[in-house]
Amino acid sequence: MDELLRFDYRDMRPGIRHVTLVGEADLSTIEQLEQGLTAFLAPHWVAQLTLNLKKLRFLDCAALSALLRVRTAAMARGQQVTVFAAQGVPARVIALSGSGHLLNYHGTVRIGGTGRSFSRDLVALG
């Protein structure tokens, strides 16, 4: 059976750890999400955690809340969490929740077939 949520990571420039979330982040995976991201932030040298959501197929409000808890804990330690490349459902959840500014996410989301763009100034996690 495939894992619902997987993390791929690499360390970038000094102080930056880049994590790609793959799969689905929802109520059933929030513990894995929170624990995994907390572990990625554990080394003292990590100043910024960048989260690539391009391969994340689904994000619900419970998982978004977990991301925000990780962000809050990181900020308390002087670290930043940044989200980018969200598409589809994850991008809509972030935009409609108005939490993008907390995640340093800047994006525009097409809502339905209306042809209208819904855009929020979704900026920094830390």
Side-chain angles (χ1 to χ4, degrees):
M1 180 175 175
D2 290 330
E3 294 179 59
L4 286 178
L5 180 64
R6 189 179 83 235
F7 307 101
D8 295 328
Y9 82 96
R10 67 181 187 276
D11 296 330
M12 308 290 283
R13 315 186 283 263
I16 300 176
R17 179 164 275 174
H18 179 84
V19 178
T20 300
L21 278 68
V22 180
E24 300 178 6
D26 59 19
L27 184 60
S28 68
T29 61
I30 60 172
E31 187 174 330
Q32 177 189 1
L33 178 66
E34 209 163 341
Q35 289 177 357
L37 296 181
T38 298
F40 286 123
L41 284 162
H44 70 281
W45 59 265
V46 175
Q48 181 177 3
L49 186 68
T50 61
L51 304 177
N52 181 339
L53 304 187
K54 185 175 184 174
K55 295 181 179 181
L56 192 66
R57 295 183 305 270
F58 185 78
L59 175 75
D60 70 4
C61 291
L64 178 60
S65 180
L67 285 177
L68 294 171
R69 284 191 300 276
V70 168
R71 175 234 181 224
T72 299
M75 285 183 61
R77 294 186 307 271
Q79 297 169 302
Q80 288 187 328
V81 176
T82 302
V83 169
F84 70 97
Q87 304 180 70
V89 171
R92 284 192 298 275
V93 169
I94 292 168
L96 293 172
S97 71
S99 63
H101 68 283
L102 299 173
L103 299 167
N104 197 25
Y105 176 76
H106 303 274
T108 301
V109 179
R110 290 292 224 202
I111 302 297
T114 65
R116 295 179 305 162
S117 289
F118 177 82
S119 179
R120 291 266 173 108
D121 184 15
L122 310 171
V123 297
L125 278 191

